[in-house]
């Protein structure tokens, strides 16, 4: 099992579930002098002096209609606001910022707790932006539960933030020596290998999705499937669920579209690759953690 120290996970906020449906309590949080707001612009963080901006509520005028309550931390209430209807220049001025940047470009130098809160804010703001109208009747929706729901103004339907689960799998070959399967994906670099991954489809359990994805992409049949860990992946609405699986045989047959090559690596080969490149897998992803976990900890 992987220790859950993954990027974008382990957020420190108390989401205040017992209070967030109370408009009086929420308004009190909104007006508190301790309240801070994380502004985002079209999914991007706003920076000042190369630091991610978090603005005191009173310094962000005109943005209270769609403030989203994230939760409480040691400093007080924390909200997010999506400035995407503004131009980039207008958003920078509103937040007294000087640049925008994608969270994935910043994560390596952010404290884990801050990255988790920013990911939460990013995913939630994106969902609000795309859920302005009811999919049932087409009427406008409005924020409910401080931001963890939207309510249709036409048919009263409730809309909840959408999460799109995907499975990511480290497949082990049968027999000895121990080997694991990495794939080279279409569009990736010529020497870029990572674990197999794909979205869960309607009507599937997570384990079903593992078996289907590995078979579809690499032509590998697996039997035993074991949960490892999960990772919040708000780019824009993912949840990565990591598994190990045991292949029935080491025969591969790549689909040629998503996967260009499927290759079994021994631990010695991966040690050499890591020594030569300095890392394995995608650095801010569970992919990186799962490969290294297999390499360093597995028997
Ligand atoms: Zn509706």
């Amino acid at each position: 099992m992987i220790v859950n120290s993954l990027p974008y996970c382990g957020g420190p906020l108390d989401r205040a579930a017992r209070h967030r449906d109370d408009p009086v309590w929420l308004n009190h949080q909104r007006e508190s002098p301790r309240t801070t707001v994380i502004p985002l612009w079209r999914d991007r963080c706003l920076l000042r002096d190369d630091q991610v901006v978090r603005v005191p509520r009173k310094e962000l005028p005109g943005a209270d209609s769609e403030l989203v309550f994230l939760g409480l931390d040691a400093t007080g209430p924390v909200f997010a606001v999506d400035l995407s209807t503004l131009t980039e220049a207008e958003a920078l001025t509103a937040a007294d910022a000087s640049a925008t940047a994608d969270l994935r470009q910043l994560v390596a130098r952010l404290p884990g707790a801050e990255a988790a809160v920013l990911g939460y804010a990013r995913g939630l703001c994106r969902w609000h932006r795309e859920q302005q109208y009811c999919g049932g009747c087409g009427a406008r929706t409005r924020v409910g539960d401080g931001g963890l729901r939207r309510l249709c103004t036409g048919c009263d339907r409730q809309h909840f933030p959408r999460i799109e689960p995907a499975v990511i799998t480290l497949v082990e070959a049968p027999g000895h020596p121990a080997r694991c399967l990495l794939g080279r994906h279409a569009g990736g670099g010529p020497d870029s290998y990572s674990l197999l991954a794909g979205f869960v489809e309607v009507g599937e359990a997570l384990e079903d999705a593992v078996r289907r994805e590995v078979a579809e992409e690499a032509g590998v049949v697996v039997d035993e499937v074991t949960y490892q860990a999960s990772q919040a992946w708000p780019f824009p609405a993912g949840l990565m669920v990591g598994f190990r699986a045991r292949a029935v045989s080491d025969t591969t047959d790549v689909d040629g579209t998503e996967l260009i090559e499927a290759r079994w690596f021994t631990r010695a080969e991966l040690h050499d690759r890591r020594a030569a490149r300095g890392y394995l897998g995608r650095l801010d992803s569970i992919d990186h953690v799962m490969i290294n976990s297999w390499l360093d900890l597995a028997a």
Side-chain angles (χ1 to χ4, degrees):
M1 190 65 66
I2 295 170
V3 175
N4 200 353
S5 57
L6 291 158
Y8 317 115
C9 299
L13 295 182
D14 171 1
R15 300 190 183 204
R18 294 185 180 184
H19 301 293
R20 61 167 53 240
D21 62 348
D22 178 349
V24 175
W25 185 87
L26 269 179
N27 194 53
H28 182 69
Q29 307 310 306
R30 197 178 289 117
E31 300 307 321
S32 166
R34 299 169 62 210
T35 293
T36 55
V37 181
I38 298 170
L40 292 125
W41 179 78
R42 301 180 193 178
D43 297 336
R44 294 170 71 83
C45 299
L46 283 84
L47 306 180
R48 183 193 311 137
D49 299 328
D50 214 28
Q51 302 292 314
V52 176
V53 169
R54 192 187 284 201
V55 189
R57 168 72 188 93
K58 61 183 185 310
E59 293 181 14
L60 197 66
D64 58 335
S65 61
E66 290 273 308
L67 277 180
V68 171
F69 176 60
L70 298 178
L72 305 166
D73 71 8
T75 67
V78 182
F79 286 76
V81 67
D82 188 359
L83 302 177
S84 296
T85 59
L86 306 179
T87 65
E88 185 171 15
E90 290 170 340
L92 293 174
T93 300
D96 190 22
S98 54
T100 66
D102 188 84
L103 175 56
R104 293 194 66 186
Q105 296 169 340
L106 303 173
V107 65
R109 59 185 173 88
L110 290 176
E114 186 175 6
V117 172
L118 292 170
Y120 171 29
R122 185 191 200 274
L124 204 53
C125 283
R126 170 72 171 251
W127 174 73
H128 281 285
R129 192 162 74 244
E130 296 184 342
Q131 195 64 62
Q132 295 289 309
Y133 295 91
C134 175
C137 75
R140 295 281 305 197
T141 59
R142 63 177 177 81
V143 171
D145 242 9
L148 290 188
R149 280 187 300 170
R150 292 191 73 88
L151 307 170
C152 178
T153 58
C155 69
D156 294 331
R157 180 171 166 176
Q158 299 183 62
H159 298 271
F160 294 92
R162 180 171 173 170
I163 307 291
E164 297 168 353
V167 292
I168 180 165
T169 308
L170 187 145
V171 181
E172 295 178 289
H176 297 283
R179 292 170 294 161
C180 79
L181 185 66
L182 300 182
R184 199 157 55 79
H185 291 78
D191 193 36
S192 176
Y193 292 89
S194 57
L195 297 179
L196 306 189
F199 286 108
V200 181
E201 295 186 352
V202 174
E204 283 186 324
L206 297 169
E207 292 84 351
D208 296 334
V210 167
R211 292 190 172 90
R212 177 186 51 75
E213 279 290 341
V214 173
E216 282 180 357
E217 292 191 5
V220 172
V221 175
V222 300
D223 49 22
E224 184 181 321
V225 175
T226 308
Y227 172 76
Q228 295 290 291
S230 66
Q231 182 184 29
W233 193 251
F235 309 106
L239 171 67
M240 301 296 290
V241 189
F243 290 88
R244 278 193 196 172
R246 177 74 64 177
V248 172
S249 84
D250 61 4
T251 302
T252 63
D253 179 17
V254 296
D255 63 9
T257 52
E258 289 193 52
L259 216 59
I260 303 299
E261 180 188 0
R263 178 174 160 189
W264 297 102
F265 286 88
T266 65
R267 286 199 171 88
E269 288 171 328
L270 287 182
H271 274 297
D272 289 346
R273 282 181 68 81
R274 187 168 64 181
R277 300 160 64 93
Y279 66 95
L280 291 170
R282 289 166 287 188
L283 276 175
D284 68 336
S285 161
I286 190 173
D287 173 74
H288 167 78
V289 176
M290 287 176 65
I291 297 172
N292 281 282
S293 173
W294 182 81
L295 188 53
D296 294 332
L297 300 177

